[in-house]
Amino acid sequence: MVNPDDVRNVVGIIGNFISFGLFLSPLPTFLTIIRKRDVEEFVPDPYLATFLNCALWVFYGLPVVHPNSILVATINGTGLAIEAAYLSIFFAFAPRPKRAKMLGVLAVELAFIAAVVAGVVLGAHTHEKRSLVVGCLCVFFGTLMYASPLTVMKKVIVTQSVEYMPFTLSFVSFLNGICWTTYALIRFDIFITIPNGMGTLLGLVQLILYFCYYGSTPKSSGTTTGMELPVKAGDSDNN
C-alpha cells in the first residue's frame, strides 16, 4: 500500500524544482540591468514582496512552527536567497532615490519579520497556535501576491493581445499551483491550500485567455508594462 506521506514528499520535491524555476524567471531582467548598469524603469516592488513572502513561509515550514513541512522551508529558503541577490543587484545599479525607498521598505519588512518570529515563539506555546498565526499571515500575503497578475490579465482583455503574458510563465505557474495544492491536500493544510488553490485557478484563467487571444491583432493601450510574477512556493511567485 502506498504511504500518503511518501507521495506527499515526492510531490513536494517536484514542487521544489518547479518553484525554483519560477524563482529564476526574472534572471534575464537582472542580466540586462548588469549589462546596462542601469535599472531603467524596473521597480523593486515584486522582489521586495517576494522576499517577505518567502521569509514568512520559511518560518511556517520550520518544525518549531509546523512540523512535517520542511519542503516548504527548503524551497522558500532558496527563494529568499535568490530574492536577496536580486535586491542586491537592483540596489547596486539604482539611483539614490530608488535606493532610499528600497532600503526603507526592506527595513520595515525585516522589523515585521523579527516581530512575528519573536511574538510567535514567545507568545504561542503550541504548534497549533503557531501554525495558526503564521499560516494566516502567509495566506494573507500569499493571496495578495497571487492576485498580482490580475492587472496583466486585464491588459490582455483590453488589448486583445498576449504579448505581455508569456505562455511558458503562465503554464509553469499553473503547474506550480497544482503541485503545491496537491501537496497541501494529501496531509490537509488549509494555509497552503488557500493561496495555491487561488494560484491554480488564476493560472488556468491565464491559459484560457492565452488561447482565446493568441494570434489576435492587438489593440493599443496606454501602458507597456510586462508581466512580473512573484513566486509562492510552498505557498506555492516571481517575473
mmCIF file of all heavy atoms in Angstrom, residues 7 46 65 70 81 85 91 96 100 107 121 131 136 151 155-156 158 162 175 182-183 186 190 195 205 236 239:
data_model
loop_
_atom_site.group_PDB
_atom_site.id
_atom_site.type_symbol
_atom_site.label_atom_id
_atom_site.label_comp_id
_atom_site.label_asym_id
_atom_site.label_seq_id
_atom_site.Cartn_x
_atom_site.Cartn_y
_atom_site.Cartn_z
ATOM 1 N N VAL A 7 4.082 9.868 -0.863
ATOM 2 C CA VAL A 7 3.548 10.558 -2.040
ATOM 3 C C VAL A 7 3.660 12.061 -1.852
ATOM 4 O O VAL A 7 4.059 12.798 -2.761
ATOM 5 C CB VAL A 7 2.071 10.162 -2.284
ATOM 6 C CG1 VAL A 7 1.485 10.975 -3.441
ATOM 7 C CG2 VAL A 7 1.952 8.671 -2.567
ATOM 8 N N PRO A 46 8.120 43.927 -6.823
ATOM 9 C CA PRO A 46 7.814 42.492 -6.830
ATOM 10 C C PRO A 46 8.816 41.667 -6.041
ATOM 11 O O PRO A 46 8.443 40.668 -5.404
ATOM 12 C CB PRO A 46 7.860 42.120 -8.321
ATOM 13 C CG PRO A 46 7.674 43.404 -9.046
ATOM 14 C CD PRO A 46 8.313 44.448 -8.193
ATOM 15 N N VAL A 65 7.347 25.583 14.184
ATOM 16 C CA VAL A 65 6.028 26.159 13.903
ATOM 17 C C VAL A 65 5.067 25.101 13.372
ATOM 18 O O VAL A 65 3.987 24.882 13.917
ATOM 19 C CB VAL A 65 6.124 27.323 12.900
ATOM 20 C CG1 VAL A 65 4.722 27.825 12.510
ATOM 21 C CG2 VAL A 65 6.947 28.464 13.479
ATOM 22 N N ILE A 70 9.017 20.539 6.040
ATOM 23 C CA ILE A 70 10.362 21.047 5.793
ATOM 24 C C ILE A 70 10.578 21.393 4.313
ATOM 25 O O ILE A 70 11.371 22.285 3.979
ATOM 26 C CB ILE A 70 11.428 20.018 6.258
ATOM 27 C CG1 ILE A 70 12.814 20.671 6.328
ATOM 28 C CG2 ILE A 70 11.438 18.792 5.373
ATOM 29 C CD1 ILE A 70 12.913 21.798 7.340
ATOM 30 N N ALA A 81 17.060 33.510 -0.630
ATOM 31 C CA ALA A 81 18.436 33.826 -1.025
ATOM 32 C C ALA A 81 18.474 34.430 -2.430
ATOM 33 O O ALA A 81 19.214 35.388 -2.696
ATOM 34 C CB ALA A 81 19.288 32.562 -0.977
ATOM 35 N N ALA A 85 19.626 38.244 -3.625
ATOM 36 C CA ALA A 85 20.600 38.523 -4.687
ATOM 37 C C ALA A 85 20.019 39.526 -5.685
ATOM 38 O O ALA A 85 20.709 40.472 -6.108
ATOM 39 C CB ALA A 85 20.976 37.225 -5.397
ATOM 40 N N PHE A 91 19.941 47.270 -5.993
ATOM 41 C CA PHE A 91 20.494 48.341 -5.154
ATOM 42 C C PHE A 91 21.804 48.873 -5.747
ATOM 43 O O PHE A 91 22.064 50.082 -5.724
ATOM 44 C CB PHE A 91 20.750 47.820 -3.742
ATOM 45 C CG PHE A 91 21.267 48.858 -2.791
ATOM 46 C CD1 PHE A 91 20.398 49.740 -2.162
ATOM 47 C CD2 PHE A 91 22.622 48.962 -2.520
ATOM 48 C CE1 PHE A 91 20.877 50.706 -1.292
ATOM 49 C CE2 PHE A 91 23.110 49.922 -1.657
ATOM 50 C CZ PHE A 91 22.229 50.799 -1.035
ATOM 51 N N ARG A 96 19.972 57.035 -6.385
ATOM 52 C CA ARG A 96 19.839 57.222 -4.942
ATOM 53 C C ARG A 96 18.397 57.237 -4.431
ATOM 54 O O ARG A 96 18.103 56.606 -3.408
ATOM 55 C CB ARG A 96 20.565 58.504 -4.519
ATOM 56 C CG ARG A 96 20.581 58.733 -3.010
ATOM 57 C CD ARG A 96 21.520 59.850 -2.628
ATOM 58 N NE ARG A 96 22.897 59.506 -2.948
ATOM 59 C CZ ARG A 96 23.917 60.330 -2.719
ATOM 60 N NH1 ARG A 96 23.694 61.535 -2.199
ATOM 61 N NH2 ARG A 96 25.144 59.964 -3.019
ATOM 62 N N ALA A 100 17.032 54.616 -1.563
ATOM 63 C CA ALA A 100 16.499 55.035 -0.270
ATOM 64 C C ALA A 100 15.121 54.414 -0.023
ATOM 65 O O ALA A 100 14.834 53.916 1.077
ATOM 66 C CB ALA A 100 16.412 56.556 -0.208
ATOM 67 N N ALA A 107 13.744 47.642 5.453
ATOM 68 C CA ALA A 107 13.882 47.783 6.906
ATOM 69 C C ALA A 107 12.552 47.479 7.607
ATOM 70 O O ALA A 107 12.525 46.798 8.643
ATOM 71 C CB ALA A 107 14.360 49.192 7.248
ATOM 72 N N VAL A 121 7.174 32.832 18.836
ATOM 73 C CA VAL A 121 7.985 31.950 19.688
ATOM 74 C C VAL A 121 7.708 32.191 21.165
ATOM 75 O O VAL A 121 7.604 31.251 21.967
ATOM 76 C CB VAL A 121 9.482 32.143 19.378
ATOM 77 C CG1 VAL A 121 10.336 31.383 20.397
ATOM 78 C CG2 VAL A 121 9.798 31.661 17.972
ATOM 79 N N SER A 131 1.114 27.651 14.145
ATOM 80 C CA SER A 131 0.705 27.429 12.753
ATOM 81 C C SER A 131 -0.435 28.356 12.360
ATOM 82 O O SER A 131 -0.472 28.865 11.228
ATOM 83 C CB SER A 131 0.268 25.968 12.559
ATOM 84 O OG SER A 131 1.340 25.078 12.780
ATOM 85 N N CYS A 136 -1.948 32.241 8.885
ATOM 86 C CA CYS A 136 -2.854 33.320 8.465
ATOM 87 C C CYS A 136 -2.093 34.449 7.782
ATOM 88 O O CYS A 136 -2.559 35.005 6.773
ATOM 89 C CB CYS A 136 -3.618 33.861 9.678
ATOM 90 S SG CYS A 136 -4.931 32.764 10.277
ATOM 91 N N THR A 151 -3.724 42.464 -13.073
ATOM 92 C CA THR A 151 -3.536 43.654 -13.907
ATOM 93 C C THR A 151 -3.109 43.262 -15.317
ATOM 94 O O THR A 151 -3.528 43.878 -16.297
ATOM 95 C CB THR A 151 -2.487 44.594 -13.289
ATOM 96 O OG1 THR A 151 -1.274 43.866 -13.062
ATOM 97 C CG2 THR A 151 -2.973 45.152 -11.960
ATOM 98 N N LYS A 155 -5.042 43.652 -18.923
ATOM 99 C CA LYS A 155 -4.382 44.224 -20.109
ATOM 100 C C LYS A 155 -4.586 43.320 -21.324
ATOM 101 O O LYS A 155 -4.794 43.803 -22.442
ATOM 102 C CB LYS A 155 -2.890 44.415 -19.824
ATOM 103 C CG LYS A 155 -2.138 45.097 -20.963
ATOM 104 C CD LYS A 155 -0.687 45.288 -20.577
ATOM 105 C CE LYS A 155 0.064 45.994 -21.690
ATOM 106 N NZ LYS A 155 -0.415 47.360 -21.902
ATOM 107 N N VAL A 156 -4.523 42.001 -21.109
ATOM 108 C CA VAL A 156 -4.742 41.056 -22.209
ATOM 109 C C VAL A 156 -6.140 41.236 -22.794
ATOM 110 O O VAL A 156 -6.333 41.261 -24.011
ATOM 111 C CB VAL A 156 -4.548 39.609 -21.724
ATOM 112 C CG1 VAL A 156 -5.018 38.613 -22.788
ATOM 113 C CG2 VAL A 156 -3.088 39.354 -21.380
ATOM 114 N N VAL A 158 -8.119 43.940 -22.542
ATOM 115 C CA VAL A 158 -8.286 45.271 -23.141
ATOM 116 C C VAL A 158 -7.601 45.356 -24.499
ATOM 117 O O VAL A 158 -8.159 45.876 -25.470
ATOM 118 C CB VAL A 158 -7.743 46.362 -22.189
ATOM 119 C CG1 VAL A 158 -7.690 47.711 -22.892
ATOM 120 C CG2 VAL A 158 -8.613 46.449 -20.942
ATOM 121 N N VAL A 162 -1.664 38.815 -26.127
ATOM 122 C CA VAL A 162 -0.976 38.105 -25.043
ATOM 123 C C VAL A 162 0.513 38.450 -25.022
ATOM 124 O O VAL A 162 1.305 37.742 -24.419
ATOM 125 C CB VAL A 162 -1.159 36.582 -25.189
ATOM 126 C CG1 VAL A 162 -2.618 36.206 -25.014
ATOM 127 C CG2 VAL A 162 -0.632 36.088 -26.533
ATOM 128 N N LEU A 175 1.182 24.905 -13.196
ATOM 129 C CA LEU A 175 1.691 23.635 -12.685
ATOM 130 C C LEU A 175 2.154 23.763 -11.235
ATOM 131 O O LEU A 175 1.933 22.866 -10.413
ATOM 132 C CB LEU A 175 2.860 23.146 -13.555
ATOM 133 C CG LEU A 175 2.543 22.693 -14.977
ATOM 134 C CD1 LEU A 175 3.824 22.229 -15.672
ATOM 135 C CD2 LEU A 175 1.522 21.556 -14.952
ATOM 136 N N THR A 182 -1.882 20.047 -4.374
ATOM 137 C CA THR A 182 -1.902 18.591 -4.152
ATOM 138 C C THR A 182 -1.124 18.240 -2.891
ATOM 139 O O THR A 182 -1.577 17.435 -2.065
ATOM 140 C CB THR A 182 -1.292 17.859 -5.364
ATOM 141 O OG1 THR A 182 -2.012 18.214 -6.543
ATOM 142 C CG2 THR A 182 -1.348 16.353 -5.164
ATOM 143 N N TYR A 183 0.044 18.842 -2.734
ATOM 144 C CA TYR A 183 0.869 18.625 -1.543
ATOM 145 C C TYR A 183 0.087 18.953 -0.283
ATOM 146 O O TYR A 183 0.116 18.206 0.701
ATOM 147 C CB TYR A 183 2.120 19.506 -1.644
ATOM 148 C CG TYR A 183 3.023 19.503 -0.436
ATOM 149 C CD1 TYR A 183 4.044 18.570 -0.313
ATOM 150 C CD2 TYR A 183 2.864 20.449 0.576
ATOM 151 C CE1 TYR A 183 4.892 18.565 0.792
ATOM 152 C CE2 TYR A 183 3.701 20.456 1.682
ATOM 153 C CZ TYR A 183 4.708 19.520 1.793
ATOM 154 O OH TYR A 183 5.530 19.527 2.893
ATOM 155 N N ILE A 186 -2.900 16.295 0.519
ATOM 156 C CA ILE A 186 -2.555 14.934 0.959
ATOM 157 C C ILE A 186 -2.539 14.854 2.479
ATOM 158 O O ILE A 186 -3.075 13.918 3.085
ATOM 159 C CB ILE A 186 -1.199 14.508 0.364
ATOM 160 C CG1 ILE A 186 -1.337 14.355 -1.158
ATOM 161 C CG2 ILE A 186 -0.736 13.189 0.984
ATOM 162 C CD1 ILE A 186 -0.032 14.075 -1.875
ATOM 163 N N ILE A 190 -4.777 23.837 5.360
ATOM 164 C CA ILE A 190 -5.611 24.908 4.814
ATOM 165 C C ILE A 190 -4.798 26.128 4.426
ATOM 166 O O ILE A 190 -5.120 26.834 3.461
ATOM 167 C CB ILE A 190 -6.719 25.302 5.829
ATOM 168 C CG1 ILE A 190 -7.712 26.272 5.204
ATOM 169 C CG2 ILE A 190 -6.107 25.889 7.092
ATOM 170 C CD1 ILE A 190 -8.510 25.691 4.086
ATOM 171 N N PRO A 195 -3.921 29.825 -0.775
ATOM 172 C CA PRO A 195 -3.241 30.640 -1.787
ATOM 173 C C PRO A 195 -2.879 29.857 -3.040
ATOM 174 O O PRO A 195 -2.933 30.387 -4.149
ATOM 175 C CB PRO A 195 -1.985 31.152 -1.061
ATOM 176 C CG PRO A 195 -1.775 30.192 0.052
ATOM 177 C CD PRO A 195 -3.125 29.728 0.467
ATOM 178 N N VAL A 205 -7.069 30.538 -15.656
ATOM 179 C CA VAL A 205 -7.692 31.663 -16.361
ATOM 180 C C VAL A 205 -6.695 32.302 -17.327
ATOM 181 O O VAL A 205 -7.045 32.665 -18.460
ATOM 182 C CB VAL A 205 -8.225 32.712 -15.359
ATOM 183 C CG1 VAL A 205 -8.719 33.960 -16.094
ATOM 184 C CG2 VAL A 205 -9.349 32.119 -14.522
ATOM 185 N N SER A 236 2.910 28.559 -2.726
ATOM 186 C CA SER A 236 3.336 27.783 -3.770
ATOM 187 C C SER A 236 4.736 28.017 -3.551
ATOM 188 O O SER A 236 5.010 29.056 -3.518
ATOM 189 C CB SER A 236 3.072 28.179 -5.095
ATOM 190 O OG SER A 236 3.583 28.678 -6.049
ATOM 191 N N ASN A 239 8.646 36.220 -12.743
ATOM 192 C CA ASN A 239 8.806 37.617 -13.118
ATOM 193 C C ASN A 239 9.171 37.702 -14.561
ATOM 194 O O ASN A 239 9.941 36.992 -15.071
ATOM 195 C CB ASN A 239 9.877 38.265 -12.311
ATOM 196 C CG ASN A 239 9.506 38.288 -10.876
ATOM 197 O OD1 ASN A 239 8.374 38.025 -10.537
ATOM 198 N ND2 ASN A 239 10.426 38.616 -10.017
#
